[in-house]
Amino acid sequence: MITTKFCPKIFLLLFNVLVFFSSCDDIFVTKKEYTETSRPPVSDSISVHDDYTSLESDYEARATFQYNEMSNPNDKIRGWQGCPSIGIKNNKIFVAWYGGEKGELPGNYIVLSISENMGQTWLPNKLLISPSENSLRMIDPSFWNDKFNDLNLTWTKTEGVWDFGAGGVWKVKIREVNNEIQITKPIRLFNGVMNVKPTILGTDNSTIIFPVSAWNLGVFDEKGNYIVSKDYNGAYIYNGYYNGKGELIGPSFFSKINLNNSIRSYDEHMIVALDENYLICMLRTTDGIYTTKSFDGGKSWETPIKYNDLGPTTSSRFFFGKLKSGNLLFVLNNSLTRNKLTAFLSTDNGKTWPYKLLLDSREVSYPDVAQNEEGEICVVYDRSRPYFGEILFLKFTEEDIITGNINNLTPRVISKLK
């Protein structure tokens, strides 16, 4: 006898013979209509949701939100933390990372701290985003500003240690008012994982492309739709845009970067737009950093090749982006291991990188970058996640990179375990 709770899955498996789920749109697309280079139908619009509150929980996101809470979720000791992201809004710096009791395990939660004086001091635990169930993890936060300069925070929710991205990427807008954090209602963007900043395109900044990764999904997503393994594996680009009402349309599948699976790692690809059509993408692989280009706005990509212009690189997340000046910034481990965190500056759209500055020679990783209103470069990164558990902050200028000035390179500790 088949129990009732398994009937929906059996039905969906049978139904999947004819159709499969395109995770980007949260809708079904027939195999006849879908190809790797075609764009599936655009999903419904996502409202701007500008109703900011001190939300305490959200049933759909299966998340709880705690403010100015000095205790860890469930009063457990924090024995691991890392993978930070940085954002700036109204001259305040927001930094988020994720932590847990022992490592990357169920129960992981997101921690947020704020600096109101450009990194001199930090207010701890301004917000904790924790799972409402012990089997869940909240991981991989990422800050980014949209075309309205609203600060967005995204994260990945996963069932168990890893559910292949079926839990999806979630988003809120976030701000601080009268020393209190306020957020909007969480919105689910798509399946997969994204722990880097998306890229804004278009003359009016209305188009946004999201670098999303997936690994052989063969599971049911939260809506009960079955995701076929062979159809969802790789480094993807999702595309969305803001309409005249300020609504985000999509995001939906746009293209795939055909990276050889033998060297795939966590992708963590970042994209720089030199113009509306010419895009450069850098990807993390087991063989260091690889690069590819698009000349049609991201619809298609060249075969990725190893990036050797900066010397040795390792398999770790990096930052690759365009500064307010128009110059390009690359922050990475300039080594075969996770040490020698170095900033490189290009003034000719990445053709050459004549300027570099060693930021931290120790074993550190996972840099992320934001610029303040004065154009100063603000960097966060982590050190020794299970031991020191340090979340570190540096601030410097383009001129510091050009002149090799190290006088400003004293890391400030935002948070640490020991």
Side-chain angles (χ1 to χ4, degrees):
M1 179 178 180
I2 300 176
T3 59
T4 303
K5 65 179 181 179
F6 290 112
C7 290
K9 292 187 176 181
I10 292 173
F11 169 79
L12 286 165
L13 280 169
L14 292 172
F15 187 67
N16 191 57
V17 174
L18 300 175
V19 295
F20 74 87
F21 174 73
S22 173
S23 63
C24 328
D25 291 319
D26 289 339
I27 57 173
F28 285 111
V29 181
T30 66
K31 289 189 176 181
K32 182 178 180 180
E33 295 172 336
Y34 176 92
T35 67
E36 288 286 327
T37 57
S38 67
R39 179 176 178 177
V42 176
S43 64
D44 293 336
S45 64
I46 298 175
S47 170
V48 289
H49 288 275
D50 278 336
D51 185 15
Y52 287 87
T53 65
S54 296
L55 184 68
E56 295 183 355
S57 64
D58 186 81
Y59 176 78
E60 293 179 344
R62 295 160 79 185
T64 61
F65 304 89
Q66 297 171 283
Y67 305 85
N68 304 308
E69 177 59 63
M70 292 302 104
S71 299
N72 296 317
N74 299 318
D75 293 320
K76 292 184 177 180
I77 295 173
R78 191 184 304 173
W80 186 99
Q81 62 179 9
C83 308
S85 182
I86 185 171
I88 298 178
K89 174 70 175 177
N90 295 333
N91 229 27
K92 299 176 182 178
I93 304 178
F94 295 68
V95 173
W97 62 94
Y98 73 96
E101 184 179 11
K102 295 181 179 180
E104 300 183 62
L105 296 168
N108 285 148
Y109 51 89
I110 292 168
V111 186
L112 184 143
S113 288
I114 289 180
S115 175
E116 298 179 334
N117 52 17
M118 278 296 120
Q120 298 299 309
T121 59
W122 294 87
L123 302 172
N125 288 22
K126 291 293 290 183
L127 173 65
L128 298 177
I129 305 176
S130 55
S132 59
E133 302 168 26
N134 293 333
S135 62
L136 298 175
R137 302 171 66 207
M138 302 296 176
I139 61 174
D140 291 338
S142 178
F143 280 115
W144 47 277
N145 294 88
D146 58 29
K147 67 167 292 184
F148 309 104
N149 200 36
D150 290 327
L151 185 61
N152 295 260
L153 172 63
T154 55
W155 70 90
T156 297
K157 178 184 68 177
T158 178
E159 181 84 37
V161 175
W162 182 237
D163 65 2
F164 303 97
V169 174
W170 293 76
K171 179 183 83 72
V172 297
K173 292 181 181 179
I174 186 168
R175 68 184 184 185
E176 186 189 43
V177 178
N178 298 325
N179 297 318
E180 297 296 330
I181 294 291
Q182 296 178 342
I183 61 174
T184 57
K185 178 177 171 54
I187 297 170
R188 190 179 190 278
L189 293 179
F190 35 66
N191 290 330
V193 59
M194 181 189 76
N195 68 343
V196 297
K197 288 173 167 53
T199 300
I200 307 297
L201 298 176
T203 56
D204 61 352
N205 296 325
S206 288
T207 301
I208 183 167
I209 52 176
F210 299 86
V212 181
S213 296
W215 295 276
N216 287 322
L217 296 182
V219 295
F220 290 88
D221 76 356
E222 292 198 329
K223 296 184 178 181
N225 299 312
Y226 189 71
I227 309 166
V228 185
S229 299
K230 67 182 180 64
D231 294 318
Y232 196 62
N233 179 45
Y236 287 86
I237 308 298
Y238 289 13
N239 173 290
Y241 66 93
Y242 290 96
N243 65 13
K245 299 179 181 179
E247 298 170 324
L248 177 60
I249 307 299
S252 58
F253 172 86
F254 191 55
S255 62
K256 178 182 178 181
I257 298 172
N258 291 311
L259 183 66
N260 191 319
N261 280 330
S262 66
I263 59 169
R264 273 196 74 206
S265 178
Y266 294 99
D267 302 325
E268 294 171 335
H269 42 311
M270 295 199 74
I271 298 168
V272 165
L274 300 184
D275 57 41
E276 288 194 55
N277 292 311
Y278 184 16
L279 311 182
I280 302 175
C281 178
M282 301 288 176
L283 307 95
R284 170 185 174 182
T285 77
T286 59
D287 189 31
I289 295 174
Y290 273 56
T291 185
T292 180
K293 296 177 181 179
S294 173
F295 299 97
D296 55 12
K299 296 178 182 178
S300 61
W301 297 88
E302 294 181 339
T303 301
I305 59 174
K306 187 165 184 177
Y307 193 68
N308 295 312
D309 291 13
L310 304 180
T313 60
T314 192
S315 181
S316 185
R317 193 182 76 179
F318 50 83
F319 176 86
F320 177 59
K322 182 184 288 188
L323 299 173
K324 294 180 179 181
S325 66
N327 293 331
L328 303 190
L329 178 70
F330 217 146
V331 181
L332 54 89
N333 294 105
N334 197 203
S335 169
L336 296 178
T337 60
R338 292 188 175 188
N339 62 358
K340 298 182 180 179
L341 188 68
T342 305
F344 290 85
L345 187 70
S346 174
T347 58
D348 57 7
N349 288 333
K351 295 177 183 177
T352 62
W353 299 84
Y355 310 111
K356 71 176 183 178
L357 187 65
L358 178 63
L359 304 179
D360 199 322
S361 63
R362 300 173 297 174
E363 293 283 339
V364 296
S365 63
Y366 268 53
D368 191 33
V369 174
Q371 271 188 289
N372 61 22
E373 294 178 0
E374 290 72 37
E376 294 174 307
I377 300 166
C378 302
V379 180
V380 290
Y381 56 101
D382 62 29
R383 174 175 177 245
S384 182
R385 298 170 190 169
Y387 186 72
F388 293 111
E390 289 182 343
I391 307 299
L392 299 165
F393 172 84
L394 279 174
K395 184 174 62 174
F396 52 93
T397 66
E398 289 185 62
E399 188 64 23
D400 289 333
I401 304 175
I402 293 171
T403 62
N405 179 23
I406 63 172
N407 294 329
N408 297 326
L409 298 183
T410 301
R412 293 186 178 272
V413 178
I414 300 173
S415 178
K416 63 180 181 179
L417 300 177
K418 298 180 181 180

